[in-house]
Amino acid sequence: MSYELFYWPTIQGRGEFVRLALEEAGAGYVDVARQPGGMQKMMAALGSDLHPPFAPPFLKADGLTIGQSANILLYLGQRHQLAPGDEAGRLWTHQLQLTIGDLVAEAHDTHHPIASSLYYEDQKPEAKRRAADFTAGRMPKFLGYFSRVLGERDTLVGDRLTYADLSLFQVIAGLRYAFPKAMARIESKLSNLGRLHDRVAARPNIAAYLASPRRLPFNEEGIFRRYPELEG
Amino acid sequence: MSYELFYWPTIQGRGEFVRLALEEAGAGYVDVARQPGGMQKMMAALGSDLHPPFAPPFLKADGLTIGQSANILLYLGQRHQLAPGDEAGRLWTHQLQLTIGDLVAEAHDTHHPIASSLYYEDQKPEAKRRAADFTAGRMPKFLGYFSRVLGERDTLVGDRLTYADLSLFQVIAGLRYAFPKAMARIESKLSNLGRLHDRVAARPNIAAYLASPRRLPFNEEGIFRRYPELEG
C-alpha cells in the first residue's frame, strides 16, 4: 500500500506532522509536489469536485482523499498502530493532536498576525507584539500542559508511541528554531519535554528520516521562522 | 445517558457547536457552568491529572472526559447518528468540521489579532487591518468552499444531516451577526448557504432550542462580535 502525500514542496509546515507518521510507520509514500509535475497534480486535486480539501496537506490512500493534518493522523494512527485501538485512547490521542494544532496555528500567527496574504515585512510591528505575548504567555501555557500530561512516562498516551508524540517532537524542534531564547527558558523548567524530543529523534526510522534529504530544513517560509527581532 | 457539558456560561463560543449537536440529538445534558457552583466544577476538572482538557469546551460522558470541540463532535456523531457510520464518511465529516474550526479561529482573531490576553480596545487598529483581510479574502474563500461542497444537496455530507451542517449553520449565523455587510455581499452569490441555515433552524429540536433560554444570544464576549468599525 503506497500513499500519496500532497503538500507544499519547500517547507515542513503542517505536512511535516504527516511525514513523521509515515516515516515512523515505514509506510511507502510519494511526496507528490516534490516530484516533477507534482505541483500541478496538487492544484488539480484541490479543485476537484468530490471531497475537495480546503488546503494542503492531504493524503490519497485506498481511494480516499483525506484532508486536515489531524484528520490524516487519525486515519494513519489506526492503520499503523500509532494510536490506541480503543475509543477512549483514540479520542484522547486526537484531543492532544488538536491541541498541538492550536499551538501550531498560534506559532504561525506570531509572524503573520494580520494576514497570511501579506508579507511578514508588512506586519512587523504587529508581529513583535504578538510574538511577545506568545513567548511570555501562550507558549509556556501550552508547553506546561504537555509537560504535565507527559509526566514521568516515556510517551504522552499510556506506554506506547503515538502520532501525538511525533507531533510534539516536531513542535519542540520548531519552537527551538524559532524562539531559542524563550524555549531555553521554558525547557529549563520542563525538562521532560527535551527527553521526549530526544527519544523520538533517536527512533531508527525517525533518525534515518532526519538524516535524509527527505527532511527539509526549517526556513523562513514555514510555520516556525527564526526572526531574531521577534524575541525582543 | 446524560452528558455533562463544560463551557463558559455567558457565551455561545466553541461550546455552541456541541450544544447544537446535543440539542439536535435530543440528548439529555447539563450545561454545568451555568448551574450554581458549576464554574468551580469546571475549573477543578481543568486541573485534574487524568486526561485534563487544555480548555473548555469539554464533555463528560461514559466515564470519559473529552476535550476539543471537533473531537467531542466526532464522539457524539457516532453515538447519535450525526455522522455516517463508515470510515470514509466519518473522516470526510470530520475534515469539514476541522475546516469550520479553522474559519472560527480566524473569525475570533479579527477582534484579537495580537493577544487573547489583551482587551479588544488594546488592539483596535490591528483588528481593523485583520478584519479587512478576513472579510475581503478569507471569509469568501472559506464560505465559497463550503458552498461548493454543499452544491444543490440539502446537507454537506451525502443525504443525511451531520454535525457539520449544524456547525455551518452556527458559523453562518455568527458571521451574519459580526459582519452583516460582508455577509450580505457574499451570500448574494452563495445562496445555498442561506438555505442550509434555514433548513437547520427549522428542524424541530433546533427550533425549540433557539427559542429557549438555553440559547444564549450573540454578544461582544464571544467569538462572533459586532464591532461596526471592523466592517470599514
Side-chain angles (χ1 to χ4, degrees):
Chain A
M1 155 102 211
S2 179
Y3 297 103
E4 286 187 305
L5 171 65
F6 293 78
Y7 194 64
W8 307 113
T10 60
I11 60 171
Q12 294 183 9
R14 286 179 173 81
E16 198 65 14
F17 301 100
V18 181
R19 290 191 188 107
L20 286 166
L22 291 166
E23 294 281 350
E24 168 63 25
Y29 74 101
V30 180
D31 207 335
V32 176
R34 293 172 71 182
Q35 313 304 316
M39 274 296 284
Q40 290 87 325
K41 273 185 82 173
M42 182 163 94
M43 300 320 284
L46 285 171
S48 87
D49 278 339
L50 187 65
H51 297 191
F54 181 72
F58 54 94
L59 188 78
K60 291 204 182 198
D62 255 343
L64 298 178
T65 301
I66 307 167
Q68 286 280 354
S69 51
N71 197 41
I72 300 170
L73 293 172
L74 185 67
Y75 170 84
L76 290 175
Q78 293 308 297
R79 290 247 154 346
H80 297 283
Q81 291 74 54
L82 287 172
D86 66 298
E87 183 182 39
R90 208 164 61 227
L91 288 166
W92 172 234
T93 308
H94 192 53
Q95 177 177 333
L96 292 173
Q97 186 64 39
L98 291 171
T99 306
I100 290 171
D102 289 345
L103 170 54
V104 168
E106 294 194 25
H108 169 273
D109 281 7
T110 57
H111 48 78
H112 277 78
I114 300 299
S116 289
S117 61
L118 297 175
Y119 291 110
Y120 164 63
E121 287 69 22
D122 295 325
Q123 47 197 312
K124 272 175 89 162
E126 297 89 346
K128 200 156 179 172
R129 277 188 83 192
R130 180 145 187 164
D133 178 82
F134 180 73
T135 53
R138 300 297 286 172
M139 215 170 114
K141 181 173 177 179
F142 273 107
L143 293 174
Y145 171 78
F146 291 115
S147 174
R148 178 157 73 96
V149 168
L150 178 59
E152 294 309 312
R153 285 175 292 108
D154 281 351
T155 53
L156 286 164
V157 177
D159 56 0
R160 66 186 297 158
L161 182 94
T162 65
Y163 59 76
D165 297 302
L166 302 173
S167 295
L168 187 55
F169 155 81
Q170 172 66 10
V171 165
I172 293 166
L175 290 173
R176 284 178 179 175
Y177 176 80
F179 300 108
K181 286 193 267 182
M183 199 57 181
R185 198 167 58 237
I186 293 167
E187 285 201 64
S188 73
K189 292 179 199 143
L190 306 174
S191 59
N192 59 349
L193 295 181
R195 291 195 296 277
L196 175 98
H197 170 280
D198 294 350
R199 278 192 301 274
V200 170
R203 295 182 68 87
N205 286 359
I206 297 295
Y209 168 60
L210 296 177
S212 79
R214 298 192 301 285
R215 170 79 165 184
L216 294 160
F218 287 109
N219 62 42
E220 280 56 59
E221 295 172 21
I223 289 172
F224 300 106
R225 305 188 186 186
R226 181 170 290 172
Y227 292 133
E229 63 271 23
L230 294 187
E231 278 217 285
Chain B
M1 156 104 210
S2 179
Y3 297 104
E4 286 187 304
L5 170 66
F6 294 76
Y7 194 64
W8 307 113
T10 59
I11 60 171
Q12 293 183 9
R14 285 179 174 80
E16 197 66 13
F17 301 101
V18 182
R19 290 191 188 109
L20 285 167
L22 292 167
E23 294 281 350
E24 169 62 26
Y29 74 101
V30 180
D31 206 336
V32 176
R34 292 173 72 183
Q35 313 304 316
M39 274 297 285
Q40 289 90 322
K41 273 185 83 174
M42 182 162 94
M43 299 321 283
L46 284 171
S48 88
D49 279 339
L50 185 67
H51 297 191
F54 181 72
F58 53 96
L59 188 77
K60 293 205 180 196
D62 255 342
L64 299 177
T65 300
I66 308 167
Q68 286 280 356
S69 51
N71 197 42
I72 300 170
L73 293 173
L74 185 67
Y75 170 83
L76 291 176
Q78 293 308 298
R79 290 246 153 349
H80 296 285
Q81 291 75 52
L82 286 173
D86 67 298
E87 184 183 37
R90 206 164 60 227
L91 289 165
W92 172 235
T93 307
H94 193 53
Q95 178 176 334
L96 292 173
Q97 186 65 39
L98 292 170
T99 306
I100 289 171
D102 289 344
L103 170 54
V104 168
E106 295 195 24
H108 169 272
D109 280 7
T110 57
H111 49 78
H112 278 78
I114 300 299
S116 290
S117 61
L118 297 175
Y119 291 110
Y120 163 64
E121 286 70 22
D122 295 325
Q123 47 197 314
K124 273 176 89 163
E126 297 90 345
K128 199 157 180 171
R129 277 188 83 193
R130 179 146 187 165
D133 179 82
F134 179 72
T135 52
R138 299 298 286 172
M139 214 170 116
K141 182 174 177 180
F142 273 107
L143 293 174
Y145 171 77
F146 291 114
S147 173
R148 178 158 73 96
V149 168
L150 178 59
E152 294 308 313
R153 284 176 292 106
D154 280 353
T155 54
L156 286 163
V157 178
D159 56 359
R160 63 186 299 157
L161 183 95
T162 66
Y163 59 74
D165 297 303
L166 302 174
S167 295
L168 187 55
F169 155 80
Q170 173 67 8
V171 165
I172 293 166
L175 291 173
R176 284 178 179 175
Y177 176 79
F179 300 109
K181 285 192 269 180
M183 199 56 181
R185 198 167 59 237
I186 293 166
E187 285 201 65
S188 72
K189 292 179 197 141
L190 307 174
S191 58
N192 60 350
L193 295 180
R195 292 194 295 276
L196 175 99
H197 171 281
D198 294 349
R199 278 193 301 274
V200 169
R203 294 181 69 86
N205 286 0
I206 298 295
Y209 168 59
L210 296 177
S212 79
R214 298 191 302 284
R215 170 79 164 184
L216 294 160
F218 286 111
N219 63 41
E220 279 57 59
E221 296 173 21
I223 290 172
F224 299 107
R225 305 187 185 186
R226 180 171 291 173
Y227 292 132
E229 63 272 23
L230 295 188
E231 277 217 286

